[in-house]
Amino acid sequence: MVTQADCSIAFKKEAAYGTAVAVDRFLEFTSETLDLDRAYHQGENMRPGTRVARSQKRILTREGAAGDITQEVQTKGFGALFELAFGVASAWTEIAVDAGVFQSVFTLAKDDFLPSATIQKGVPRLPTATTPGGVDAFTFAGCQVSSIEFEMSSEGVLTMTTSWIGGRAVDTLTPYVPSAGKYPEGCELFSFVDASLVLGGTITMPTSTSLSTGGTVAGNIRECSLSVDQALDDNGRNMGGGGARSRPGAVGLAEITGSLTVEYDTTLITEAVLEQQGLALVLTFEGPTEIGISGLRPVVQIVVPEIKLEGDLPKSNGGDVITHSSDFVGLDPLVAGQEPIYLVYRSADLVL
């Protein structure tokens, strides 16, 4: 027996692009829009006696899939997803001072192609008078993360939306992989209560076992968002490929963007906007419960060594506290050995 709430999404990294693998990673999600990404051509040749386009002249010209998955980020289970989104993951390393705590640092790929994954979503079907309800499987091979966005709102939790492109036809014949017992256990969420933000100052870059430190802690940020667009190309549909992509999407010039909502209690941000100052940005989200033996907690930390702000000037607010929004772009500081963005994931997971 199933209910309409028994939806699932599972994935697994592929060894070869577009060659489907059996999914084994299940993660909870709040919404998804995975769907067909097809194109059709309707013949336009004229013929006496017909006023409506003819059925035989409608054909498929493009095959694929696309859509978004939105999730509340959890303290376990997200390492493999971060690798797909960024492209490069350092080794999943146990922190020497704290047995049972592992960490990896994710950075942007420097090769043409990001890794790909097979995704299977399970969709429950209502029963009829003669047919019991069940879960139907839709399997998408050759899926790549085209962009990823993080959001933290006041009094909220850290959410993440991944946008996917799939280069193969949807498969409805692969059996549904049951999700029971396959979700990571002991997961918690990253709350606004345990979030902090560094804006400006001098920071140290994270390593495989340490977080970024230093900088100027900002105490006036209500909300923040950050996104990375990998600028994947939409080509690779070549003759002989049946309308599907014969290769993965190739990366373009990545864009790092975001926004801050600020209570107006300092001119730091307005001065940075007006003078186009480069500032370091570090977003740190800690889990609520200690792991390991020395009091460390799970962490998602996003480090952008240099951003430039493109914000609005503060405006009157009818007597209420004045806030203003400031968009920003992340840039390559061109410092030897330094990446334009890092994501650090610290967890009690035993594997990435």
Side-chain angles (χ1 to χ4, degrees):
M1 300 294 291
V2 299
T3 73
Q4 293 295 285
D6 290 331
C7 301
S8 64
I9 287 183
F11 69 97
K12 186 173 184 177
K13 183 179 176 181
E14 295 173 343
Y17 172 74
T19 301
V21 293
V23 298
D24 59 7
R25 293 290 189 101
F26 286 80
L27 290 175
E28 300 169 20
F29 63 99
T30 60
S31 65
E32 59 87 12
T33 61
L34 293 175
D35 206 342
L36 299 174
D37 180 20
R38 283 181 154 190
Y40 303 90
H41 177 79
Q42 181 63 55
E44 298 178 352
N45 293 334
M46 299 179 68
R47 176 174 176 173
T50 62
R51 292 183 54 220
V52 177
R54 295 179 298 285
S55 172
Q56 298 94 329
K57 305 299 170 62
R58 183 174 176 83
I59 55 174
L60 178 70
T61 59
R62 172 191 174 102
E63 188 65 272
D68 297 344
I69 303 173
T70 299
Q71 300 165 287
E72 296 173 336
V73 182
Q74 299 183 156
T75 55
K76 295 179 70 175
F78 274 70
L81 197 54
F82 291 148
E83 180 186 11
L84 291 169
F86 279 74
V88 176
S90 69
W92 193 238
T93 303
E94 188 172 25
I95 298 174
V97 298
D98 205 330
V101 179
F102 295 82
Q103 180 171 304
S104 182
V105 180
F106 304 86
T107 54
L108 296 181
K110 294 182 177 63
D111 296 322
D112 280 328
F113 302 136
L114 294 176
S116 63
T118 298
I119 298 177
Q120 184 182 89
K121 71 173 183 177
V123 181
R125 177 176 11 96
L126 283 171
T128 67
T130 58
T131 305
V135 178
D136 296 317
F138 298 87
T139 304
F140 306 87
C143 293
Q144 295 173 281
V145 178
S146 60
S147 66
I148 183 170
E149 181 177 17
F150 296 91
E151 293 183 287
M152 172 63 80
S153 60
S154 179
E155 303 179 30
V157 298
L158 179 63
T159 63
M160 178 183 80
T161 298
T162 45
S163 297
W164 299 81
I165 59 170
R168 294 288 193 264
V170 63
D171 170 16
T172 59
L173 299 179
T174 297
Y176 171 65
V177 178
S179 60
K182 296 179 181 177
Y183 286 92
E185 298 297 332
C187 298
E188 296 180 314
L189 303 177
F190 295 94
S191 164
F192 185 79
V193 171
D194 296 304
S196 62
L197 187 146
V198 163
L199 187 62
T202 301
I203 64 170
T204 61
M205 299 304 117
T207 71
S208 59
T209 57
S210 64
L211 301 175
S212 174
T213 58
T216 304
V217 177
N220 58 351
I221 308 298
R222 286 192 183 178
E223 299 179 348
C224 63
S225 67
L226 183 143
S227 64
V228 180
D229 186 342
Q230 297 278 9
L232 298 184
D233 82 320
D234 193 33
N235 301 308
R237 289 178 171 82
N238 302 317
M239 290 185 180
R245 298 186 73 143
S246 59
R247 61 160 175 82
V251 300
L253 189 64
E255 294 184 352
I256 303 167
T257 58
S259 180
L260 304 173
T261 299
V262 187
E263 288 192 343
Y264 185 56
D265 65 354
T266 176
T267 60
L268 169 68
I269 289 180
T270 53
E271 289 174 357
V273 170
L274 292 171
E275 299 173 14
Q276 281 298 281
Q277 300 171 358
L279 300 174
L281 175 69
V282 182
L283 304 170
T284 304
F285 309 97
E286 287 192 317
T289 303
E290 294 179 357
I291 54 177
I293 58 176
S294 62
L296 297 181
R297 294 197 278 176
V299 171
V300 169
Q301 185 181 70
I302 304 170
V303 181
V304 186
E306 184 169 331
I307 67 168
K308 290 197 174 180
L309 298 164
E310 302 175 342
D312 301 325
L313 293 177
K315 302 173 182 64
S316 60
N317 194 22
D320 200 353
V321 172
I322 295 173
T323 64
H324 61 115
S325 296
S326 183
D327 295 338
F328 63 82
V329 294
L331 303 167
D332 190 334
L334 296 178
V335 175
Q338 195 173 104
E339 300 289 340
I341 187 170
Y342 304 81
L343 185 144
V344 185
Y345 189 47
R346 178 176 288 178
S347 173
D349 276 330
L350 298 179
V351 295
L352 184 65

